[in-house]
């Protein structure tokens, strides 16, 4: 008998097909081997090594200080832990904006050196030419529009996009331009829900929302947010599934107490016999 439930490796083609079949897509961020392995086992369709790493792991105030060197190390680690999910590497600030040559070279590093299967970059219609060139080089690209964190200073803060007619129009045109340039998918971040629904209907590639309502083809969240492992700022759209810090603190307190009282290590946790 054939086991039809055998899990298949997620490819860009299967990712896009999910939209055609009306199947929702679940994406989470991960930045290291163990987390990626755990999320992969949990069944996520894609693991995004986001430049959010700068904020949630390094304690930076924005994604701006994140470098290619940092991203390559995190993508490498997460890719090693991933068997089934599609591994997408986020291109950090100034790794693709200055020139097409730079964009292609850095996108290539994620594939060649870090074993990513696709890259993501921020920006709408103005980034279409960059997306096209990277795709022409054989590298799948995920777009990212709405409140794009690398441009937060231009937005004047984390403001919901797509509320005014001009913004709505720009987002729809941008989504269509990214699809036309060859992007296989795009993130819609912090976009008014009805505008995100309109964008989703206007393109044939999957839209992955974060703070963009329920009508996107899929959803992405930052892993630290859903585990309670980031306490500087929790956006309204985050659903916290577990609050890990108290559990971690309890374990660490017990360890400290056990060491101080001498109850750790016990005989079973020691190597007692001589050869
Ligand atoms: O950097 C990141 O984690 C992201 C997602 C939140 C979409 O870009």
């Amino acid at each position: 008998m054939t086991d039809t439930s055998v899990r298949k490796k997620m490819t860009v083609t299967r990712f896009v097909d999910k939209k055609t079949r009306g199947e929702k897509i679940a994406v989470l961020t991960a930045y290291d081997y163990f987390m990626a392995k755990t999320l992969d086992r949990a069944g996520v369709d894609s693991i995004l090594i986001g430049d959010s790493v700068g904020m949630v792991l390094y304690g930076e105030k924005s994604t701006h200080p994140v470098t290619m060197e940092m991203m390559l190390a995190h993508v490498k680690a997460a890719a090693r832990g991933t068997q089934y999910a599609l591994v997408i590497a986020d291109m950090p600030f100034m790794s693709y904006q200055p020139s097409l040559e730079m964009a292609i070279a850095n996108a290539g590093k994620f594939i060649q050196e870090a074993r990513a299967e696709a890259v993501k970059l921020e920006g709408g219609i103005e980034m279409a030419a960059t997306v096209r060139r990277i795709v022409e080089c054989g590298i799948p690209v995920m777009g990212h529009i709405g409140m794009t964190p690398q441009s937060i200073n231009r937005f004047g803060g984390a403001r919901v996009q797509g509320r005014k007619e001009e913004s709505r129009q720009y987002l729809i045109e941008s989504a269509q331009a990214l699809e036309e340039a060859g992007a296989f998918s795009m993130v819609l971040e912090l976009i008014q829900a009805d505008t995100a629904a309109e964008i989703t209907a206007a393109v044939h590639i999957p839209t992955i929302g974060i703070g963009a309502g329920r009508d996107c083809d899929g959803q992405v969240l930052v892993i630290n947010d859903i585990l309670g492992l980031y306490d500087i700022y929790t956006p309204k759209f985050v659903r916290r599934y577990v609050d890990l810090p108290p559990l971690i603190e309890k374990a660490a307190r017990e360890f400290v107490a056990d060491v101080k009282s001498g109850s750790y290590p016990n005989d079973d946790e020691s190597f007692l016999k001589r050869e």
Side-chain angles (χ1 to χ4, degrees), residues 29 31 48-53 63 90 120 122 144 149 187 189 210 220-222:
T29 69
Y31 316 101
L48 170 69
I49 302 89
D51 62 355
S52 49
V53 69
T63 56
D90 210 1
K120 174 172 87 58
E122 297 182 7
H144 185 164
V187 168
E189 179 158 357
I210 173 160
V220 56
L221 282 175
V222 169

Side-chain angles (χ1 to χ4, degrees), residues 139-212:
I139 301 171
V141 178
M142 172 180 253
H144 185 164
I145 57 173
M147 205 302 292
T148 44
Q150 292 175 14
S151 304
I152 191 149
N153 294 333
R154 187 159 56 80
F155 291 116
R159 304 237 159 84
V160 177
Q161 302 297 300
R163 287 200 151 140
K164 298 209 172 97
E165 180 50 28
E166 196 187 336
S167 164
R168 178 190 152 273
Q169 198 64 43
Y170 163 75
L171 289 170
I172 292 172
E173 279 170 20
S174 286
Q176 286 170 332
L178 290 173
E179 176 176 27
E180 213 263 316
F184 75 94
S185 175
M186 74 192 75
V187 168
L188 305 184
E189 179 158 357
L190 215 56
I191 294 178
Q192 185 168 303
D194 58 353
T195 302
E198 236 186 298
I199 296 168
T200 300
V203 294
H204 302 93
I205 56 176
T207 59
I208 309 298
I210 173 160

